[in-house]
Amino acid sequence: MNGELRLDAGTVTDAAAIALEHEPVPAEQVVAGAPTTGLRVLDSTDGRIVGVWEMTPGAMRDIEADEVFIVLSGAATLEFQHPIADPIVLAPGSVVRLEAGMRTLWTVRQTLRKLYVAP
């Protein structure tokens, strides 16, 4: 399958409960606390990736990829440092589109878990 990963058709994957292995956020990205992140790709076909990402409480800077995500659990604020835009408060059900190259600041108050789709 050329390294592709596929979800089984007609089955359920519980993205809210799936186990993720966490790693510390690189020191140069940490703004506050000692956040960790976990990631698991669920489906990777036709140039599209569907995955689950999680961050524990703390704050970190990031440079984004193109993606659309929906928050499954947690609470955070996402600030846009470039291009400048109003911060958004993230909660379960929030749907957000990010563009490649956006510079962001994630401040997580309660472990944040999102399901994302990237082209």
Side-chain angles (χ1 to χ4, degrees):
M1 258 205 315
N2 302 334
E4 293 182 342
L5 178 64
R6 294 285 287 178
L7 286 167
D8 292 331
T11 64
V12 172
T13 299
D14 188 348
I18 198 165
L20 302 177
E21 291 187 31
H22 277 242
E23 296 183 1
V25 171
E28 64 272 10
Q29 288 180 262
V30 174
V31 174
T36 64
T37 59
L39 169 72
R40 182 146 171 206
V41 173
L42 302 177
D43 193 283
S44 174
T45 54
D46 301 324
R48 180 202 70 235
I49 299 171
V50 177
V52 177
W53 180 86
E54 184 173 79
M55 180 178 160
T56 61
M60 68 174 262
R61 287 185 176 85
D62 202 8
I63 298 173
E64 302 301 334
D66 281 325
E67 74 175 65
V68 173
F69 69 84
I70 182 168
V71 174
L72 301 173
S73 61
T77 300
L78 181 56
E79 296 177 58
F80 299 95
Q81 298 181 321
H82 181 77
I84 300 292
D86 290 336
I88 55 176
V89 175
L90 301 173
S94 297
V95 178
V96 179
R97 181 176 163 271
L98 299 173
E99 291 182 340
M102 288 179 133
R103 294 181 186 274
T104 55
L105 174 62
W106 295 78
T107 303
V108 174
R109 294 177 299 284
Q110 180 184 15
T111 297
L112 185 81
R113 183 174 280 220
K114 67 179 185 175
L115 178 72
Y116 69 90
V117 178

